[in-house]
Amino acid sequence: MNGNDPLPSWGEGAAKTAILDFVESVTGRGASYVPPAERIATFDNDGTLWCEKPMPIQFDFILRRLSEMAQADPGLRGRQPWKAAYERDYGWFGTVITEHYAGNDANVGTVMAGILAAYEGISVEDFEAKSDAFLRTAQHPTLGRGYLECVYVPMVELLGYLEANGFANYIASGGGRDFMRPVSQEVYGIPRDRVIGSAATFQYTSDDHGGTITHKAEADVLDDGPQKPIRIWSRTGRRPLLAGGNSNGDIPMLDFTQHPGKPSLRLLLLHDDDQREFAYTSGAEQALERARKSSWTVVSMHDDFKVVFGP
């Protein structure tokens, strides 16, 4: 590897060239220069920064809890999503996700109700401890590695390269904000306050020990689709200069990454490597079409990643 190469895990090609040229253009002293305060980069997480198949990592975390609930209460075993969790019918959850990205949310409410009920009443500290322990101990069902080892090395390199060039990196994920926060700094170099994601509502109860914040069985926001640019603006007050995603739910975020008179870069990760990861376009059909029409940069996992995961 070239010791001067800021992206050594990226293969030489159009995607790597687009990234290097873009960063050079906004950091150089030419007409395209953008001050560091305006250099915002946002990334989806599931399927963009870490593996999302055969199901998103947080789904495994939630399904284990739903199964525990069904074990304790037989009355839940005939109701979705507890039924699928108890019977380990993971295909049902996969279908719901595929339907969602195709615009059919008929079953999303059912899944969300179960997810919200799973940790109702738990304190934010206890939830974080449970998610942190899960991420550090649970194994991916088919890849033979821990979940924290399912991070895409080239994308972590990209995050580091951007940070070294004055960018503030944010996660803007449909996954749970408080699920990702315990590991975001360690895994991605992204501080927990720059994690934007889906969340439940909370309630605060005063006591003699500083009070307690607990989860309620109510959704605050599902950070997907049109909600992504809204939440990004709410948090940063800026449009991103660069955004990366992999699915139809990322289209609004990628669209939002446009500036009159300023360069921007939209990256769409294509999962086309069934030997090292997975090959699929389900849930990304519209995004791939938009990438073609709008000249987004498509990153081929097969062609553009020299490696996918770390050792």
Side-chain angles (χ1 to χ4, degrees):
M1 291 185 182
N2 186 344
N4 296 319
D5 186 350
L7 301 174
S9 295
W10 289 71
E12 301 301 324
K16 182 174 182 176
T17 298
I19 293 168
L20 296 175
D21 288 350
F22 168 75
V23 172
E24 182 178 355
S25 72
V26 299
T27 58
R29 290 295 172 177
S32 297
Y33 174 78
V34 177
E38 300 176 25
R39 296 177 199 165
I40 302 295
T42 59
F43 292 86
D44 171 57
N45 187 46
D46 294 309
T48 301
L49 298 180
W50 72 16
C51 184
E52 67 175 355
K53 293 295 183 181
M55 61 183 169
I57 293 173
Q58 189 174 3
F59 260 50
D60 189 4
F61 175 67
I62 295 293
L63 294 188
R64 296 182 191 212
R65 172 59 183 151
L66 294 176
S67 181
E68 289 175 1
M69 295 171 72
Q71 290 277 3
D73 182 357
L76 295 173
R77 298 174 191 175
R79 294 171 52 192
Q80 295 289 22
W82 292 271
K83 181 177 185 293
Y86 182 72
E87 296 175 353
R88 299 184 181 181
D89 180 11
Y90 302 142
W92 183 83
F93 290 95
T95 298
V96 173
I97 294 171
T98 299
E99 290 174 348
H100 167 67
Y101 285 126
N104 177 7
D105 285 342
N107 290 308
V108 168
T110 300
V111 174
M112 286 300 299
I115 291 173
L116 292 168
Y119 288 98
E120 180 181 11
I122 191 173
S123 73
V124 289
E125 291 88 358
D126 286 347
F127 179 87
E128 179 160 317
K130 289 179 181 295
S131 60
D132 184 64
F134 169 81
L135 286 167
R136 295 182 189 283
T137 60
Q139 295 284 307
H140 187 280
T142 64
L143 293 176
R145 56 178 56 237
Y147 276 133
L148 291 187
E149 297 170 329
C150 293
V151 173
Y152 304 138
V153 169
M155 297 303 291
V156 174
E157 283 182 359
L158 174 58
L159 293 170
Y161 175 55
L162 293 173
E163 182 181 16
N165 282 277
F167 279 79
N169 296 320
Y170 287 77
I171 291 175
S173 176
R177 175 195 63 205
D178 298 304
F179 180 73
M180 296 177 284
R181 276 179 169 173
V183 299
S184 65
Q185 178 69 60
E186 175 185 341
V187 173
Y188 301 131
I190 296 178
R192 58 189 295 132
D193 58 298
R194 292 184 187 168
V195 177
I196 305 169
S198 300
T201 57
F202 297 140
Q203 68 178 18
Y204 174 78
T205 303
S206 181
D207 56 36
D208 295 332
H209 308 288
T212 303
I213 297 175
T214 54
H215 287 243
K216 297 175 68 177
E218 299 173 1
D220 180 9
V221 63
L222 177 60
D223 188 48
D224 197 37
Q227 281 297 320
K228 287 199 174 188
I230 292 172
R231 302 289 286 185
I232 290 167
W233 180 265
S234 297
R235 182 67 63 84
T236 70
R238 298 185 185 278
R239 290 176 182 261
L241 282 184
L242 182 153
N246 77 299
S247 73
N248 297 336
D250 297 316
I251 292 174
M253 175 178 70
L254 295 167
D255 275 341
F256 191 57
T257 309
Q258 296 185 58
H259 299 257
K262 293 181 184 178
S264 62
L265 182 64
R266 278 76 63 83
L267 302 175
L268 186 72
L269 181 58
L270 173 62
H271 293 267
D272 59 351
D273 193 327
D274 61 356
Q275 296 300 307
R276 297 182 298 175
E277 201 235 17
F278 300 93
Y280 60 96
T281 57
S282 177
E285 302 90 345
Q286 297 169 33
L288 288 166
E289 179 63 18
R290 286 297 302 277
R292 184 185 66 79
K293 291 181 178 179
S294 302
S295 299
W296 297 351
T297 298
V298 175
V299 177
S300 163
M301 185 173 285
H302 182 274
D303 297 333
D304 293 313
F305 285 2
K306 290 183 179 178
V307 299
V308 175
F309 304 116

